[in-house]
Amino acid sequence: MQTRVTLHRDFVTSTIDGRLYSAFLEHMGRAIYGGIFEPGHPQADAQGFRQDVLAMVRELAPPLVRYPGGNFVSAYNWEDGIGPRKERPVRLDLAWHSRESNQVGIHEFADWCEQAGIEMMLAVNLGSRGIDEARNFLEYVNHPGGSAWSDERIKNGRQHPWNVRLWCLGNEMDGPWQIGHKSAAEYGHLANETGKALKAYDRSLELVACGSSNPQMASYPEWEATVLDHCYETVDYISLHMYFTNHEDQLGDYLAIAEQLDRYIVSIAGVIDYIRAKKRTRHQVHICFDEWNVWYHSVAQDRRVLEGSDWPFAPPILEDIYNVEDALLIGCVLNTFIRRSDRVRIACIAQLVNVIAPIMTETGGDAWRQTIFYPLMFASRYGRGRALQLAVDGPTYQTRELEDVPCLDIAGVHDEEGQYVTLFAINRHQKEALDLNVALHGFENARLVEHQCINHPQMKLVNTANQPDQVRPVSGEGVGVEDGALKGSLPPLSYHVVRLSVGA
């Protein structure tokens, strides 16, 4: 199956914001307790942070981590997580039907981020709380000293402020499941007033307003239009969330979900443009896609906890175990973000450890990389620079909902130093190889320096604690540069990272 791709050095979509490869950690399940924090574990440091987990997080190198939620934040009192640990209250978490010990709060999480080399992206509670608590939290986190809340931070052991730049104004306020759910008009007004209060302290803060929880919401896309009509000039981003499922085990349909994601992004970009025109403003709001991942493997087993009568501590919920199919889809999703990086500036995989995550741990035991770890790692490592516009001419297929789904999903990035071009390519066809021909205009000196591939005949194969490397990248074959073009064959249902040296 012949597939032709054309790229040119000067045809660029945008400069990619490195925060496109960020992550999310919520107080739920074993993401925090038993994930990043497990005092007494052989790999834990003096603060209780697992160093084996930290090493894997550093491999992914997320620039930001969103915290502390998620649904959790909509009934969270940030003050519960400061001060002496022995005096912190145990609370019932209404979002995930569990007990919260508050042994990890803003101080501990900030310490972990500093170890990992990550900046914090903090969410404020606009469900059960509001403007006053949000401004107090900002003062505690960012003010140098000489005020009530900044002095309280100093008393609690942190002399210098953390100077967090990115703040989320609540979480999924369109969702009826959310504590403090609001109409679009109610939330838009509250987001605007809260944003005004935060920016009265520091105009340079970046603020994220809640967009749709998914494109199937009855309020979508009117929610975004109404919310932005209220707060467009105050906020810098509108958030989007989307999770991907394959309950019916239809692989072609599943891998085509990235095309639906693309339509979601384009639709909300249109709403942003409409409100911007309506406001007659130069201010540009971008998309912050701060929750996304595959989530369906664990749904049935999680009901026991979420619908139970007890309130367990750090129960093992949303612990999806990912297979080869999921790795291919994650590659397609990341390609979509790269191709739409002019509109999507920030994206956070949900989540980072144990809870629908690329990293898994056993309590008291090992940590390992899930199949989806690798596409995320490669994108974070090589997907920074200029997103190239690619023209693709090749075979397509149909699904129950979509026509003309390209068999080849591909994105290209020219790195910041201008030395390398990296192509991320997925062959979605289930039976046929793709004979690839990529015209490399403006890169006459290109030569192949690396080709990594994920391609396995058992699409349901997973990694486990006992067999952590069943699915991992291997050196690719049959691809090379010839006559100014990248040529080769991509096997069916395969993921590829191809790096070309293009420096003088």
Side-chain angles (χ1 to χ4, degrees), residues 12 101 107 138 220 252 284 287 327 477:
V12 175
S101 69
H107 286 262
L138 173 63
Y220 163 83
Q284 180 65 63
I287 293 170
E477 298 177 349

Side-chain angles (χ1 to χ4, degrees), residues 118-424:
I118 296 170
E119 293 185 14
M120 292 187 289
M121 172 183 180
L122 296 179
V124 300
N125 176 358
L126 294 188
S128 65
R129 309 186 87 184
I131 299 172
D132 210 38
E133 294 83 2
R135 75 177 182 90
N136 291 343
F137 192 24
L138 173 63
E139 180 184 317
Y140 187 90
V141 169
N142 278 15
H143 196 60
S147 67
W149 283 112
S150 61
D151 287 348
E152 184 72 13
R153 181 197 70 245
I154 294 169
K155 186 181 80 171
N156 288 330
R158 175 74 183 195
Q159 179 67 39
H160 301 291
W162 291 291
N163 196 28
V164 173
R165 311 314 303 157
L166 190 61
W167 294 78
C168 301
L169 303 175
N171 174 74
E172 291 186 353
M173 300 309 298
D174 64 327
W177 57 85
Q178 201 71 218
I179 302 297
H181 162 63
K182 295 171 176 61
S183 70
E186 291 169 335
Y187 171 70
H189 176 74
L190 178 58
N192 188 56
E193 295 305 313
T194 305
K196 283 163 54 181
L198 299 187
K199 287 197 171 182
Y201 172 75
D202 184 349
R203 292 293 302 172
S204 70
L205 296 177
E206 293 183 281
L207 304 181
V208 184
C210 294
S212 289
S213 301
N214 62 72
Q216 282 72 49
M217 297 295 293
S219 57
Y220 163 83
E222 182 61 33
W223 172 274
E224 282 80 4
T226 301
V227 167
L228 287 175
D229 206 18
H230 282 272
C231 67
Y232 189 92
E233 296 282 11
T234 303
V235 303
D236 304 280
Y237 302 90
I238 187 82
S239 74
L240 295 180
H241 294 175
M242 188 174 181
Y243 291 98
F244 316 113
T245 67
N246 189 20
H247 289 294
E248 298 180 2
D249 197 20
Q250 295 290 328
L251 182 54
D253 290 35
Y254 182 52
L255 296 180
I257 290 176
E259 301 299 309
Q260 296 174 317
L261 167 66
D262 186 75
R263 295 182 184 187
Y264 189 19
I265 292 168
V266 170
S267 295
I268 297 307
V271 174
I272 292 171
D273 290 344
Y274 162 67
I275 297 298
R276 186 185 186 201
K278 181 180 178 182
K279 300 287 185 182
R280 275 95 171 149
T281 178
R282 294 183 178 181
H283 180 56
Q284 180 65 63
V285 168
H286 290 98
I287 293 170
C288 175
F289 218 112
D290 53 27
E291 286 189 35
W292 68 271
N293 204 350
V294 172
W295 176 14
Y296 74 98
H297 295 285
S298 63
V299 170
Q301 67 195 48
D302 290 341
R303 293 195 183 101
R304 178 183 59 81
V305 172
L306 300 178
E307 299 175 5
S309 58
D310 58 343
W311 294 80
F313 172 72
I317 56 173
L318 278 71
E319 297 199 0
D320 278 33
I321 302 300
Y322 294 117
N323 57 34
V324 178
E325 297 173 351
D326 301 322
L328 297 183
L329 178 62
I330 293 302
C332 294
V333 170
L334 289 162
N335 281 357
T336 303
F337 290 149
I338 290 171
R339 291 191 296 264
R340 296 296 179 185
S341 56
D342 57 331
R343 308 311 296 256
V344 182
R345 293 297 176 88
I346 302 169
C348 303
I349 190 168
Q351 295 189 21
L352 190 56
V353 184
N354 285 334
V355 174
I356 48 175
I359 300 169
M360 290 297 298
T361 73
E362 285 188 330
T363 301
D366 293 333
W368 70 96
R369 301 164 188 82
Q370 295 231 60
T371 63
I372 67 170
F373 180 97
Y374 299 104
L376 186 63
M377 178 192 72
F378 284 128
S380 179
R381 184 178 295 174
Y382 300 136
R384 305 182 192 221
R386 302 190 306 161
L388 298 171
Q389 293 182 15
L390 307 183
V392 181
D393 181 14
T396 62
Y397 70 97
Q398 293 186 347
T399 71
R400 289 172 296 177
E401 296 185 15
L402 299 173
E403 296 182 357
D404 297 327
V405 176
C407 293
L408 176 68
D409 188 296
I410 189 168
V413 178
H414 190 195
D415 78 318
E416 295 166 338
E417 292 76 26
Q419 297 299 306
Y420 297 94
V421 166
T422 302
L423 297 174
F424 305 95

Side-chain angles (χ1 to χ4, degrees), residues 19-72:
R19 297 177 297 178
L20 200 66
Y21 310 114
S22 297
F24 174 38
L25 276 169
E26 181 172 6
H27 282 251
M28 66 177 296
R30 296 191 310 121
I32 302 293
Y33 308 109
I36 67 169
F37 180 76
E38 191 180 338
H41 188 279
Q43 293 278 350
D45 66 7
Q47 292 180 279
F49 299 131
R50 286 187 58 159
Q51 297 301 297
D52 54 347
V53 172
L54 262 170
M56 293 181 184
V57 171
R58 293 189 188 106
E59 288 182 55
L60 294 177
L64 291 171
V65 171
R66 179 171 171 250
Y67 175 86
N71 293 347
F72 172 82

